[in-house]
Amino acid sequence: MTLRAVKNSDPVDRAKDALSRMGRADQDRFTAELDYGIALNEIKAQHTSDRAFGKAVKDAGLDSYEMPQLGTVQIKRDVRSACMWLAENEATARQMLEDGTKATSARGLHKAWKDAQRPTPAPTPPATPAPAPVDQDAVAKALEESLSASSKDRLAKAIETHKIKLDMAQQMTMHAMEQKHRQDIDKLAWDRVNQLLPGVMDRVEKTEAYRKRSGVFTKKQYKTLLATLHPDNFVGAKKDMAEASFKLFQDTNIPLVPELKRPVGMPTLEEIMAAERERESKRKVSKREQEAREMALDMLRKLYPQHYAE
């Protein structure tokens, strides 16, 4: 088949003529598509962007053609691109037809050309067969049989020594983990003691201050005595004596007992444990924290044996 294109002055008119021939069965479709592609390439050269080119094609009515039995046929973008490629690669298309390429349209030639440009994938190498499983027992038995009596003796001693080293390494690891566990618990216990200590110390200080208070009367007792000795409570000769006693009592600087509230006493271990349980009920407490709490109570017993005696 021979490809040719007839050039007229107006590419829009030539494109319309090619479209009219593409819709008629008595016309060579390849030649019509070639003429259509040449005209489109000339129109595209007149525009600076693909968007402007597409608008010009649509405005000129170059995106469809009429077929007698099917009516209006819209030209898709890939068909239009194939026709433009055909116009730019006429020699290549001609060679492909001569080589027997099975194509019935510009789109078919374009697709065959793109497929030929793709690199051929490298052949997949054959799968390497998996190695056969080794029978460890058989290997060990064969090795044992090949050894002399003295070699077997040395091997047994080496195995025993290796087992002893493994056991020692495991014991050291377990000891280190236990030490770390105890250190963590000690820290938690001291943290809890430091949290409880301010309240305990406050109770201790108030108790000691109450025990060490000094004075003859409390303020209330002093007022009661003054009221009793007041002269208004007496008549006659006793009133003169009462006035002298009242003035003497009032002028004497009698030390009064400081007004301190009687402490409610040290919190008991039961109270502390109840507070700890209430604290635990509000959040999830780990086993390690429970152990630290018990250790903190033991520390309080040692710090204040007079208050927390067994």
Side-chain angles (χ1 to χ4, degrees):
M1 181 181 294
T2 303
L3 301 179
R4 63 182 182 81
V6 179
K7 288 191 177 182
N8 297 325
S9 57
D10 188 2
V12 175
D13 292 340
R14 285 189 278 110
K16 289 182 178 180
D17 177 70
L19 286 174
S20 66
R21 287 186 283 122
M22 287 169 63
R24 289 160 51 186
D26 60 340
Q27 295 293 319
D28 182 3
R29 183 177 179 85
F30 278 97
T31 304
E33 288 179 334
L34 177 61
D35 291 345
Y36 179 64
I38 292 173
L40 288 182
N41 284 336
E42 292 180 18
I43 295 172
K44 185 177 182 180
Q46 299 172 2
H47 298 83
T48 57
S49 66
D50 292 341
R51 186 174 182 180
F53 167 64
K55 185 175 184 303
V57 169
K58 186 174 182 180
D59 292 345
L62 302 179
D63 57 349
S64 63
Y65 60 90
E66 298 293 331
M67 290 191 70
Q69 296 178 347
L70 300 177
T72 302
V73 177
Q74 293 293 328
I75 299 178
K76 295 182 179 180
R77 184 178 296 178
D78 60 339
V79 175
R80 190 169 66 194
S81 298
C83 293
M84 296 170 70
W85 170 85
L86 183 63
E88 292 177 344
N89 300 273
E90 182 180 354
T92 301
R94 188 192 307 276
Q95 187 62 47
M96 290 173 66
L97 291 172
E98 291 178 357
D99 292 342
T101 300
K102 295 179 181 180
T104 59
S105 63
R107 184 171 64 174
L109 278 172
H110 189 206
K111 183 178 182 304
W113 177 79
K114 287 194 295 184
D115 291 343
Q117 305 307 308
R118 293 193 183 98
T120 304
T124 305
T128 305
V134 179
D135 188 349
Q136 300 291 341
D137 294 337
V139 172
K141 186 177 180 181
L143 179 62
E144 186 179 356
E145 291 175 353
S146 65
L147 294 175
S148 62
S150 58
S151 298
K152 290 179 182 178
D153 220 18
R154 288 196 298 271
L155 178 61
K157 289 181 180 179
I159 292 173
E160 188 64 27
T161 303
H162 183 65
K163 286 181 178 179
I164 293 173
K165 288 181 178 179
L166 288 178
D167 290 341
M168 291 178 63
Q170 185 178 12
Q171 289 177 8
M172 291 176 66
T173 302
M174 294 297 294
H175 179 71
M177 292 174 63
E178 185 178 353
Q179 287 291 104
K180 177 69 166 54
H181 179 72
R182 296 308 307 174
Q183 290 173 2
D184 291 345
I185 291 178
D186 287 346
K187 184 180 182 303
L188 287 173
W190 276 113
D191 289 346
R192 191 65 192 126
V193 166
N194 291 331
Q195 291 174 5
L196 295 171
L197 209 53
V200 173
M201 289 297 298
D202 182 61
R203 295 283 186 93
V204 170
E205 290 173 2
K206 288 180 179 178
T207 301
E208 293 301 319
Y210 187 80
R211 288 174 180 172
K212 293 177 180 179
R213 62 191 179 138
S214 62
V216 178
F217 303 115
T218 64
K219 189 174 183 180
K220 184 177 179 180
Q221 292 171 339
Y222 181 76
K223 287 183 178 180
T224 301
L225 289 171
L226 279 180
T228 304
L229 295 174
H230 199 277
D232 291 345
N233 295 328
F234 301 92
V235 293
K238 290 184 178 181
K239 188 170 184 179
D240 295 337
M241 186 183 298
E243 287 179 354
S245 300
F246 182 79
K247 187 174 184 310
L248 176 64
F249 193 81
Q250 198 173 32
D251 292 344
T252 302
N253 187 16
I254 300 175
L256 299 181
V257 177
E259 293 186 359
L260 294 176
K261 284 187 177 181
R262 184 180 182 84
V264 296
M266 292 289 289
T268 65
L269 288 179
E270 288 74 15
E271 291 173 344
I272 294 177
M273 292 180 71
E276 290 292 300
R277 292 191 193 98
E278 183 180 358
R279 188 175 69 90
E280 288 177 8
S281 65
K282 295 179 181 179
R283 67 181 185 87
K284 187 176 181 181
V285 179
S286 66
K287 184 177 179 181
R288 188 170 61 177
E289 286 181 304
Q290 292 176 1
E291 192 173 346
R293 182 198 66 188
E294 298 297 332
M295 186 178 291
L297 295 179
D298 289 339
M299 291 176 181
L300 287 177
R301 288 191 186 97
K302 294 176 182 177
L303 288 170
Y304 302 101
Q306 70 276 19
H307 296 287
Y308 297 124
E310 292 294 342

